[in-house]
Amino acid sequence: MSTKVLIIGACGQIGTELTTALRNTYGFSNVIASDIRKSESDVFNQGTFELLDARDKDAIKACVEKHKITDVYLMAALLSATAEKNPDFAWDLNMNSLFHVLNLAKEKVIQKVFWPSSIAVFGENSPKKNTPQHTIMEPSTVYGISKLSGERWCEYYHKNYGVDVRSIRYPGIISWKANPGGGTTDYAVEIFHEAVQKGSYTCFLRDDTSLPMMFMDDAVRATINIMKAEPESVKVRSSYNIAAISFTPAELATAIQQIIPEFAIAYEPDSRQKIADTWPESIDDSTATADWNWSHEFDMKTIVSEMISNLQRVLV
């Protein structure tokens, strides 16, 4: 049977670019984008789009059966900073959508599931540097709690029901194509927009806050590659650490000033600083490398160059 893909939450920061990459991989007719509302992005005018509430199992099942879907990418979620403002809704969306998709896989309605986790699963007692694949995990945010709970359920469904579910823990994602979605690492996208448009930026984190980051192209490639890997190569069925680079706001500002010398940055930490303080500074992703050959391609210099050159083209 050929691969037929449904992306739930296709209009989000990662979902938008993942939709394009999956259509380039499997063909436009084989990839269905869906979300609770349609984005204005041209991406969603170039292929089939379905309005779909991730909390509605019957609607998901109907869409799966209508399009003969084999693989579901469940990208719908309320991210860290936004989830703290509405914890009940965050738990409902983040957890029940996962149960719906896992149960459809358990019922053999779909064959394979991708569900993203996050570095938010770690907590203040986790090792800060080179945080290992298996370690203490005591998240302090609703988002992190939901992601850690989801990891345990993914592994449970795999072990007990044979569900082919695959997951990676995303670090902060940097992209020039899509707006950030309400996360604690959003500054690393906002800073480029402000640098290009205004020449200055006020950061909501301290200058010395080091966090793991990744360019969107690497994140999308990791997502597709883990789904294309042979089942026996995917040995972790909770979620894999993946990593690229780590930097502080001050280090990023210095890198931007290499291209935009007049760029100025100020710091006014807000509630997101408390969240960032519980997260890792860097991630050990050697397990993903060993199991399915993961490696990142974009370093700090190439990320900064890509972001500024593309934003200067589309914003100025």
Side-chain angles (χ1 to χ4, degrees), residues 223-239:
T223 302
I224 294 175
N225 284 355
I226 192 175
M227 286 292 275
K228 292 175 76 173
E230 293 299 322
E232 59 270 19
S233 297
V234 185
K235 299 172 185 177
V236 175
R237 294 295 182 148
S238 52
S239 193

Side-chain angles (χ1 to χ4, degrees), residues 24-262:
N24 290 337
T25 301
Y26 296 110
F28 277 65
S29 62
N30 292 319
V31 177
I32 311 303
S34 74
D35 212 308
I36 197 165
R37 61 183 62 86
K38 191 169 184 178
S39 167
E40 296 301 316
S41 171
D42 289 341
V43 170
F44 304 107
N45 297 318
Q46 297 171 354
T48 303
F49 182 89
E50 296 275 6
L51 289 174
L52 191 61
D53 186 341
R55 297 170 298 163
D56 188 339
K57 183 185 177 184
D58 291 340
I60 297 172
K61 183 177 181 181
C63 187
V64 164
E65 292 177 339
K66 174 183 176 182
H67 295 286
K68 298 180 173 58
I69 298 298
T70 60
D71 297 5
V72 170
Y73 291 70
L74 177 56
M75 309 305 293
L78 215 60
L79 302 187
S80 57
T82 308
E84 290 303 294
K85 299 174 184 176
N86 198 343
D88 290 349
F89 176 71
W91 183 259
D92 182 22
L93 173 61
N94 294 2
M95 292 308 302
N96 285 325
S97 61
L98 176 59
F99 277 124
H100 296 334
V101 173
L102 289 176
N103 282 322
L104 288 172
K106 174 187 173 184
E107 296 159 12
K108 310 300 182 186
V109 178
I110 53 180
Q111 297 178 7
K112 196 185 299 183
V113 174
F114 176 83
W115 175 80
S117 189
S118 163
I119 59 170
V121 296
F122 301 112
E124 60 184 355
N125 292 319
S126 305
K128 290 289 187 184
K129 298 182 184 297
N130 293 319
T131 307
Q133 176 66 45
H134 302 288
T135 188
I136 296 170
M137 302 165 76
E138 297 175 345
S140 58
T141 63
V142 175
Y143 179 61
I145 292 166
S146 70
K147 287 300 183 183
L148 179 54
S149 301
E151 287 190 14
R152 306 321 311 152
W153 280 113
C154 286
E155 185 172 78
Y156 182 90
Y157 269 72
H158 175 71
K159 285 185 174 180
N160 290 280
Y161 307 125
V163 169
D164 190 353
V165 57
R166 305 171 185 211
S167 177
I168 54 181
R169 295 170 181 150
Y170 289 127
I173 305 297
I174 302 173
S175 168
W176 60 270
K177 293 180 182 177
N179 291 325
T184 301
T185 57
D186 284 359
Y187 90 85
V189 177
E190 293 173 358
I191 191 173
F192 288 103
H193 286 257
E194 297 292 292
V196 168
Q197 293 182 300
K198 299 179 181 178
S200 63
Y201 178 63
T202 300
C203 184
F204 56 75
L205 296 181
R206 287 192 319 270
D207 63 340
D208 61 349
T209 306
S210 182
L211 291 171
M213 299 285 183
M214 179 176 290
F215 195 54
M216 179 67 82
D217 293 34
D218 276 336
V220 167
R221 187 168 51 82
T223 302
I224 294 175
N225 284 355
I226 192 175
M227 286 292 275
K228 292 175 76 173
E230 293 299 322
E232 59 270 19
S233 297
V234 185
K235 299 172 185 177
V236 175
R237 294 295 182 148
S238 52
S239 193
Y240 277 96
N241 280 359
I242 61 168
I245 60 174
S246 293
F247 54 76
T248 67
E251 289 168 341
L252 182 56
T254 298
I256 291 172
Q257 288 163 346
Q258 299 301 309
I259 301 175
I260 307 175
E262 66 275 16

